[in-house]
């Protein structure tokens, strides 16, 4: 009888073959949930859980590259997470910076998506310097959602839009007419990018929690029980297979 490892590899290869000739997501969103629960279950510290989760991001991106997925948005720190203990946040800020530097060193185009004002000034400066000197050598672009909240993003977009129209001397009625779906879209953090086709969330939670709230109107969702640090390539391939089997009618 074949052992579990052999069966696993056979199944993984079969899934990869199934995906070789079908359209795949052009923008993939990932809610990397479960780092703390993975740490608790493993007898590790919370910080180690976050570090293992960050390491999984780099591995995950290589899986996306293998399948020529061009854009990935990873939610690393939500607006709500800012209520966590100061010690945990300090460690998270360092892990976020280390992750951004690792990804830019690897040649990815990395864009911060969210409110980076929540980061300490020295962390923002370190990130700014790294982005200014980064050399993009890979096809895959990465959005790191930091201090991100979907409602906050929409509010900021509308505020920017209203200010711009006010500076042009438009009156209240003209401003109201100018607030359109297209105009708001041009002021979102993901402006100029396609909306996500598929959003994956790990750890068993089956909700978006505000992730890409505006952009996910036509997204497909895939939830799994696995904590993010334990997420495997076979889980990823299963998510893509399920996505490809769905009929996307976009309301038509």
């Amino acid at each position: 009888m074949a052992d579990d490892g052999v069966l696993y590899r056979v199944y993984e290869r079969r899934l990869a073959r199934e995906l070789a000739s079908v359209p795949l997501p052009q923008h993939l969103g990932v809610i990397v949930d479960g780092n703390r629960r993975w740490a608790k279950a493993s007898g590790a510290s919370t910080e180690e859980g976050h570090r293992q989760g960050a390491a999984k991001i780099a591995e995950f991106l290589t899986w996306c590259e293998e399948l020529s997925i061009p854009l990935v948005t990873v939610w690393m720190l939500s607006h709500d997470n800012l209520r966590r203990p100061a010690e945990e946040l300090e460690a998270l800020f360092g892990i976020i910076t280390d992750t951004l530097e690792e990804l830019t060193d690897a040649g990815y185009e990395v864009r911060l998506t969210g409110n980076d004002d929540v980061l300490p000034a020295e962390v923002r400066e370190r990130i700014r310097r790294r982005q200014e000197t980064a050399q993009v050598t890979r096809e895959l672009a990465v959005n790191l959602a930091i201090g991100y909240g979907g409602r906050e993003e929409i509010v900021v977009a509308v505020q920017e839009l209203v200010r711009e129209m006010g500076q042009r001397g438009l009156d209240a009625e003209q401003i109201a007419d100018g607030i359109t779906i297209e105009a708001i879209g041009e002021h979102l953090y993901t402006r100029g990018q396609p909306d996500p086709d598929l959003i994956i969330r790990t750890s068993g939670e089956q909700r978006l929690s505000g992730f890409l709230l505006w952009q996910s109107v036509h997204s497909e969702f895939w939830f799994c029980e696995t904590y993010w640090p334990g997420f495997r390539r076979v889980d990823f391939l299963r998510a893509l297979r399920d996505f490809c089997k769905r009929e996307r009618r976009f309301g038509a």
Side-chain angles (χ1 to χ4, degrees), residues 32 35 47 49-61 74-77 91-112 123 126-127 130-131 134 142-146 228:
V32 295
N35 293 338
E47 180 175 347
H50 289 309
R51 289 201 177 277
Q52 289 298 320
K56 180 61 65 173
I57 291 171
E59 183 180 9
F60 178 80
L61 294 178
V74 181
W75 200 4
M76 288 193 74
L77 181 70
L92 269 170
F93 293 149
I95 292 167
I96 288 167
T97 309
D98 291 343
T99 301
L100 183 139
E101 291 181 342
E102 177 186 0
L103 298 182
T104 54
D105 284 346
Y108 293 108
E109 178 187 354
V110 181
R111 175 176 174 179
L112 290 188
V123 172
R126 182 176 162 190
I127 289 174
R130 176 51 61 98
Q131 289 184 308
V142 185
N143 295 326
L144 291 183
I146 309 298
W228 174 247

Side-chain angles (χ1 to χ4, degrees), residues 17 59 67 75 84 120 144 165 170-171 187 200 213 217:
R17 286 196 299 271
E59 183 180 9
L67 296 170
W75 200 4
R84 291 184 177 181
L144 291 183
M165 291 190 288
L170 302 183
D171 62 30
H187 290 79
I200 295 171
L213 188 61
V217 62

Side-chain angles (χ1 to χ4, degrees), residues 174-198:
Q174 290 171 317
I175 290 174
D177 289 341
I179 299 176
T180 63
I181 291 174
E182 293 75 19
I184 292 174
E186 291 169 0
H187 290 79
L188 297 173
Y189 297 137
T190 57
R191 66 197 71 166
Q193 298 179 336
D195 290 340
D197 301 296
L198 172 65

